[in-house]
Amino acid sequence: MKEAKKRNPDIITYGLPWGSPGWIDNQTGYYGADQIMYQVNWLKCARDFHNIDVTWLGLWNERPWGTPQFVKDLKKAIDAEGLKTKLVLGDGGMPNVLDYANDTEFMAAFDAVGLHYPCTAGALKGSGPGLLDAGKAVWASEDWWSEAEVRPHPPLCAAQTTRWG
């Protein structure tokens, strides 16, 4: 990130854990106070030692996103440290965040949903309009494309992605 920032100071940065150390929550689970401390300390290290304010932070690559309470607690901890980082839920399949649409604190705690291969049939599971109406960004946090590939590509979803931004 430091080298990328040298080349383009306006570049958007994104952190996404793929796992965590074994000491997290005494190996009883991923989502808890230790994980919050771990992620917030990583963001603080980027800011305090490398002069990088991480723009976005995902929760866990290709894993469940936790609970509304975890998301709220993580956002509070981020804010308490004066960090400007926004949270991304998903980073895999479509999270069921709209099941908690009446929890205003939860809905305010995250800003985006990242999906893997969102142009495949049913990737949004009907949640696209609700996410957009809630003011959430929706993007492909993992996708593929190569001119050299010979296997058939999934249909492009230009009409959907145009609406998303």
Side-chain angles (χ1 to χ4, degrees):
M1 283 194 286
K2 197 179 235 182
E3 290 300 317
K5 282 291 215 184
K6 281 183 191 177
R7 290 165 176 78
N8 178 0
D10 297 324
I11 195 167
I12 294 170
T13 55
Y14 187 3
L16 177 61
W18 283 42
S20 60
W23 56 263
I24 296 289
D25 295 312
N26 293 317
Q27 297 185 359
T28 60
Y30 182 86
Y31 294 109
D34 284 348
Q35 186 65 25
I36 290 171
M37 178 185 65
Y38 186 70
Q39 287 186 295
V40 170
N41 283 340
W42 183 82
L43 293 170
K44 286 170 41 182
C45 178
R47 178 194 65 194
D48 298 345
F49 295 100
H50 302 286
N51 199 31
I52 296 170
D53 287 311
V54 177
T55 313
W56 296 95
L57 179 68
L59 302 183
W60 195 4
N61 186 56
E62 297 182 346
R63 298 285 190 241
W65 56 270
T67 65
Q69 190 61 54
F70 177 83
V71 173
K72 292 187 277 190
D73 290 347
L74 177 57
K75 184 60 175 171
K76 285 178 193 171
I78 288 170
D79 291 347
E81 292 295 337
L83 297 158
K84 299 173 187 151
T85 305
K86 298 176 184 179
L87 294 179
V88 180
L89 274 59
D91 285 303
M94 179 63 218
N96 62 333
V97 295
L98 292 179
D99 290 353
Y100 307 97
N102 292 329
D103 185 339
T104 55
E105 184 183 2
F106 167 68
M107 293 300 289
F110 73 97
D111 294 281
V113 170
L115 298 173
H116 290 189
Y117 314 102
C119 292
T120 59
L124 282 170
K125 298 182 181 173
S127 295
L131 289 167
L132 295 173
D133 290 345
K136 305 304 175 191
V138 179
W139 66 65
S141 57
E142 181 177 304
D143 218 332
W144 57 273
W145 181 262
S146 170
E147 294 293 331
E149 290 188 356
V150 294
R151 65 177 186 229
H153 294 285
L156 296 177
C157 53
Q160 294 170 333
T161 54
T162 300
R163 184 169 179 216
W164 299 339

